[in-house]
Amino acid sequence: MGVKTSFSIKDLENLSGVKAHTIRIWEKRYELLHPERSGTNIRTYDLNNLQKLLNVSYLNANGLKVSKIAKLSDPEIHSEVKEVSLKGNSGAHHINTFKVAMLNFDQELFDVTYNKMLATCSFREIFQDTFLRLLDEIGVLWMTHTITPAHEHFITTLIQQKLQINIERVQGAKSDSGTTYVLFLPTNEIHELGLMYIHFELLLKGYKSIYLGPSVPTENLLELKKVFNDISFISYLTVAPAIDTVEEYLSDFAQTIINQESERLHIIGRNTKELKKESISPNIIVHNEIKDLLKSV
């Protein structure tokens, strides 16, 4: 598994959020970055340049002028980043650090950063404020070919491990709620981190939550109805079913699974964004964000 060490200016734009035009200005006016140039004058940047750009953009977003940052040495920039992150919201800095860990396949950097965050934040805060934003940005990086599936799998596996540890810690708590929550992903859907986090939150609240995981055929859910009377289903639609077949999938789900007035399917995810309320069963509820879904259950 090779480490990505060379980046185009478009890669830097995608990773930092700083426009390529601005990067060129910072490079020319302040000599902040030092790319290599090909014979046809195409810039390529190494990992040190990327790290510096991430730090500069973080400091700039926190009120420091680029002209001032440019006068600092690299160690002084690192020191300033640390000081700023300790004063206030350091989520953006941590996201950048996790990106560098991902690009370098550096588990130690991931663990060190995560453990530092745990010293001042709960796992819930880390996941909601940092990991969810990181996962959104990783999705964009993957779609723009800035990173490979190997990078995505590396970082999501590490996050999944932290989630699993916290799920195990809260398992066993029970409430008087008669509802059983059944969490599943449709056939061919494998992006399960969001659903796993919902499972964690439900267990934390003491609810009965059954996690089935990825790629579950609709008809298999009938087996749960043989065991439990009051069921609410929860699913996360990121890539499957495809956007143009989501309504058909939900119609089939409603006909096959939802036979009682009290039964619900709560859905969330990228492929639910275009759904119109009038086009789906009233027993299927679409949520924009995880926190909205959790408030409604």
Side-chain angles (χ1 to χ4, degrees):
M1 189 180 288
V3 176
K4 187 177 176 75
T5 58
S6 181
F7 304 91
S8 68
I9 195 165
K10 191 66 178 176
D11 288 337
L12 262 61
E13 179 180 86
N14 291 331
L15 286 159
S16 68
V18 180
K19 295 296 184 184
H21 174 69
T22 303
I23 294 172
R24 291 190 187 98
I25 290 174
W26 289 359
E27 179 187 317
K28 184 176 181 180
R29 185 176 299 170
Y30 303 112
E31 297 185 346
L32 279 171
L33 305 178
H34 302 281
E36 293 184 5
R37 294 175 184 267
S38 69
T40 54
N41 207 32
I42 295 175
R43 298 171 173 86
T44 57
Y45 301 81
D46 63 16
L47 199 59
N48 288 331
N49 277 286
L50 169 62
Q51 178 69 73
K52 185 170 185 179
L53 177 63
L54 292 173
N55 286 336
V56 170
S57 65
Y58 173 70
L59 292 175
N60 184 238
N62 279 275
L64 276 75
K65 292 183 177 180
V66 175
S67 56
K68 180 182 177 182
I69 301 169
K71 295 175 182 177
L72 302 175
S73 66
D74 286 353
E76 286 172 334
I77 288 175
H78 282 290
S79 177
E80 192 72 25
V81 165
K82 185 176 181 181
E83 186 176 334
V84 171
S85 67
L86 288 173
K87 285 180 182 177
N89 180 11
S90 56
H93 175 57
H94 290 136
I95 287 172
N96 285 345
T97 305
F98 285 132
K99 285 180 189 175
V100 172
M102 173 185 67
L103 291 165
N104 245 348
F105 299 105
D106 189 339
Q107 182 172 345
E108 183 179 0
L109 178 59
F110 177 92
D111 287 335
V112 167
T113 306
Y114 175 77
N115 289 331
K116 282 181 180 177
M117 296 180 73
L118 270 185
T120 56
C121 305
S122 68
F123 173 74
R124 295 175 75 218
E125 290 170 328
I126 294 172
F127 196 93
Q128 291 179 16
D129 298 338
T130 302
F131 283 162
L132 283 178
R133 285 174 57 195
L134 175 65
L135 291 168
D136 281 343
E137 292 189 25
I138 286 172
V140 174
L141 296 176
W142 186 80
M143 287 188 290
T144 56
H145 306 291
T146 306
I147 61 173
T148 68
H151 293 108
E152 182 187 21
H153 292 174
F154 172 78
I155 198 76
T156 55
T157 297
L158 292 178
I159 295 172
Q160 188 176 47
Q161 289 171 359
K162 302 305 181 188
L163 248 177
Q164 194 60 55
I165 289 169
N166 283 275
I167 286 170
E168 289 174 4
R169 286 175 179 162
V170 296
Q171 278 176 335
K174 294 181 180 178
S175 74
D176 297 329
S177 171
T179 302
T180 298
Y181 294 96
V182 175
L183 283 64
F184 73 98
L185 295 177
T187 301
N188 298 323
E189 179 61 80
I190 60 172
H191 294 79
E192 60 178 324
L193 283 177
L195 193 71
M196 283 183 71
Y197 181 72
I198 293 169
H199 179 51
F200 163 76
E201 285 280 0
L202 291 173
L203 291 173
L204 189 65
K205 292 180 179 181
Y207 295 152
K208 175 77 171 177
S209 179
I210 297 175
Y211 188 80
L212 300 182
S215 205
V216 178
T218 298
E219 60 271 17
N220 286 10
L221 298 171
L222 291 170
E223 296 300 315
L224 279 296
K225 298 186 65 172
K226 296 177 182 178
V227 181
F228 304 104
N229 294 321
D230 184 4
I231 295 180
S232 278
F233 297 93
I234 300 177
S235 193
Y236 215 113
L237 282 58
T238 302
V239 297
I243 291 176
D244 58 353
T245 62
V246 169
E247 283 189 20
E248 181 183 348
Y249 170 81
L250 294 176
S251 175
D252 176 68
F253 186 96
Q255 292 178 21
T256 306
I257 303 298
I258 300 177
N259 305 122
Q260 299 178 33
E261 185 63 31
S262 61
E263 291 177 337
R264 296 285 185 273
L265 169 63
H266 297 269
I267 56 174
I268 189 172
R270 187 189 305 151
N271 282 10
T272 67
K273 300 299 183 185
E274 303 301 320
L275 286 171
K276 292 180 173 59
K277 189 175 181 180
E278 60 271 17
S279 67
I280 57 177
S281 164
N283 289 45
I284 297 175
I285 301 98
V286 183
H287 302 275
N288 291 322
E289 298 182 17
I290 288 177
K291 63 182 179 180
D292 297 328
L293 186 153
L294 290 170
K295 285 178 184 177
S296 71
V297 299

